[in-house]
């Protein structure tokens, strides 16, 4: 009932993890493989191992999550090697790539593109948490140049980009016009809302240590922004580019809303960190119940079919 496709890749369920959430180590990736998730996506990787930012670097409250992890990851070779040893080959395995320079990204994508058991590459243009490194997705020229140089390396690979949230119609139009020029297969909307500030009024302190307490916001806080981005890019991008929704998916209704806005698959971040991999079977059951109540048999019955007033 929840089966979906990203390009020619079949996912047994449209629900899977957002990059960053419980996907750094082989044990975490194994747990995703064992779960009801429809795909496995790695933590964003860099050329070599990174310990990430100082602790505490993750905080959550009833409305969502807040982080400045600083790209802690095992290095791209680890995620390439995992492709060959992972259990449950019936679901696809995607690697998220987030180099600190264009050269980093080109080097990793060239290597990962030649690793056959990796089903797709999600190029992260939107990490907000590395001091001194702006989010590529907010620099249109840099985004264009990145795609121009990455595209030839991905001729035989399904690939796409993870975008930051946009807030202005001109930015949606400009970004979509750039993306439409390249043979990408998907876009993932959205990364966390970067450079937010969550504080504790009792202690009068920031709640995370890195970057004077500034970090990326996720969870319920960001669902309306995520839905707006999914809807805009669904409307503006070539129809062969799948939209993957990410942001504020905690319940089956949240996933339903993303699909209604045009998402072909939906990632779960904050709720996965909070609840563990059991979130996938719960959200799946909630989404299926809602679809049954509405008389929908598959996600194509309502994908993108948001109604206007
Ligand atoms: C990190 C956060 C992100 O939002 C992202 O896209 C990549 C990395 C991090 O801080 O580790």
């Amino acid at each position: 009932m929840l089966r979906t496709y990203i390009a020619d890749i079949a996912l047994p369920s449209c629900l899977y993890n957002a990059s960053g959430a419980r996907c750094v180590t082989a044990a975490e990736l194994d747990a995703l493989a064992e779960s009801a998730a429809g795909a496995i996506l790695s933590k964003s990787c860099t050329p070599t191992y990174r310990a990430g930012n100082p602790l505490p670097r993750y905080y959550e409250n009833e409305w969502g999550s807040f982080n400045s992890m600083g790209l802690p990851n095992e290095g791209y070779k680890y995620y390439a090697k995992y492709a060959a040893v992972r259990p449950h080959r019936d679901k696809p395995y995607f690697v998220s790539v987030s180099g600190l320079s264009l050269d980093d990204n080109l080097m990793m994508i060239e290597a990962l593109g030649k690793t056959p058991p990796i089903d797709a590459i999600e190029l992260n243009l939107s990490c907000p948490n590395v001091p001194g490194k702006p989010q590529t997705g907010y620099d249109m020229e840099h985004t264009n140049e990145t795609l121009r140089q990455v595209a030839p390396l991905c001729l035989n690979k399904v690939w796409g980009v993870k975008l930051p949230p946009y807030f202005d119609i001109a930015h949606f139009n400009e970004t979509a016009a750039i993306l439409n020029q390249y043979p990408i297969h998907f876009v993932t909307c959205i990364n966390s809302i970067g450079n937010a500030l969550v504080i504790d009024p009792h202690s009068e302190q920031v709640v995370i240590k890195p970057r004077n307490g500034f970090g990326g916001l996720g969870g319920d806080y960001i669902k309306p922004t995520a839905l707006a981005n999914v809807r805009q890019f669904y409307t503006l991008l070539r129809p062969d580019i799948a939209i993957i929704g990410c942001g504020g998916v905690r319940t089956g209704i949240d996933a339903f809303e993303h699909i209604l806005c045009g998402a072909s698959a939906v990632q779960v971040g904050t709720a996965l960190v909070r609840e563990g991999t059991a979130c996938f079977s719960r959200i799946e059951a909630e989404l299926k119940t809602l679809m049954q109540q509405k008389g929908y048999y598959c996600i194509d019955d309502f994908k993108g079919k948001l109604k206007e007033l």
Side-chain angles (χ1 to χ4, degrees):
M1 202 177 184
L2 300 188
R3 191 176 175 79
T4 191
Y5 285 87
I6 298 171
D8 60 354
I9 303 172
L11 280 67
S13 162
C14 62
L15 303 166
Y16 67 103
N17 69 293
S19 182
R22 294 183 185 261
C23 59
V24 177
T25 63
E28 289 176 329
L29 295 166
D30 284 351
L32 289 167
E34 304 288 345
S35 77
I40 305 161
L41 173 59
S42 79
K43 169 69 181 172
S44 286
C45 61
T46 51
T48 54
Y49 168 86
R50 282 173 60 91
N53 289 338
L55 305 178
R57 59 194 185 184
Y58 189 89
Y59 174 87
E60 62 180 22
N61 61 27
E62 60 185 306
W63 302 295
S65 64
F66 181 57
N67 85 84
S68 183
M69 306 300 286
L71 277 167
N73 79 95
E74 303 287 336
Y76 80 100
K77 287 182 185 164
Y78 180 96
Y79 301 105
K81 285 185 190 145
Y82 183 76
V85 300
R86 71 200 170 90
H88 295 284
R89 300 294 181 82
D90 52 332
K91 60 174 85 168
Y93 172 58
F94 305 152
V95 172
S96 168
V97 171
S98 190
L100 302 187
S101 68
L102 176 52
D103 282 347
D104 276 6
N105 282 330
L106 295 173
M107 183 278 288
M108 289 188 283
I109 289 170
E110 180 160 30
L112 295 170
K114 292 183 199 144
T115 307
I118 294 173
D119 295 290
I121 293 171
E122 183 178 271
L123 172 60
N124 186 355
L125 299 180
S126 45
C127 173
N129 294 336
V130 179
K133 293 283 172 188
Q135 284 160 268
T136 303
Y138 288 140
D139 179 337
M140 303 303 172
E141 247 173 65
H142 190 198
T143 296
N144 193 22
E145 185 57 19
T146 299
L147 296 176
R148 192 180 72 77
Q149 294 198 40
V150 167
L153 305 177
C154 290
L155 296 178
N156 299 309
K157 208 66 168 182
V158 172
W159 68 295
V161 291
K162 172 102 171 251
L163 297 175
Y166 296 97
F167 304 95
D168 191 287
I169 298 301
H171 296 158
F172 287 118
N173 288 327
E174 211 177 329
T175 305
I178 292 168
L179 296 173
N180 276 332
Q181 294 172 19
Y182 296 98
I184 55 171
H185 299 95
F186 66 88
V187 303
T188 305
C189 305
I190 58 175
N191 209 315
S192 53
I193 296 184
N195 300 301
L197 185 59
V198 175
I199 65 173
D200 177 359
H202 303 294
S203 66
E204 305 177 12
Q205 279 177 314
V206 297
V207 297
I208 58 174
K209 186 166 181 67
R211 302 181 61 242
N212 299 323
F214 285 74
L217 202 58
D220 292 0
Y221 280 123
I222 73 165
K223 188 177 73 173
T225 299
L227 294 176
N229 277 258
V230 168
R231 188 67 184 161
Q232 284 287 347
F233 284 110
Y234 180 75
T235 309
L236 293 168
L237 291 177
R238 292 193 317 265
D240 61 290
I241 301 176
I243 314 295
I244 301 171
C246 182
V249 177
R250 183 172 47 77
T251 68
I253 294 175
D254 299 323
F256 183 84
E257 291 178 3
H258 270 267
I259 296 164
L260 206 54
C261 288
S264 294
V266 176
Q267 297 177 347
V268 184
T270 299
L272 168 58
V273 173
R274 178 184 286 251
E275 187 178 337
T277 54
C279 71
F280 293 109
S281 47
R282 177 186 59 75
I283 297 171
E284 175 178 325
E286 292 168 359
L287 177 55
K288 283 179 171 169
T289 300
L290 183 61
M291 287 168 63
Q292 269 154 4
Q293 285 165 359
K294 289 172 172 283
Y296 295 141
Y297 295 98
C298 64
I299 71 168
D300 277 341
D301 287 348
F302 60 99
K303 184 172 105 185
K305 295 185 179 168
L306 179 67
K307 296 173 194 159
E308 291 184 359
L309 288 180

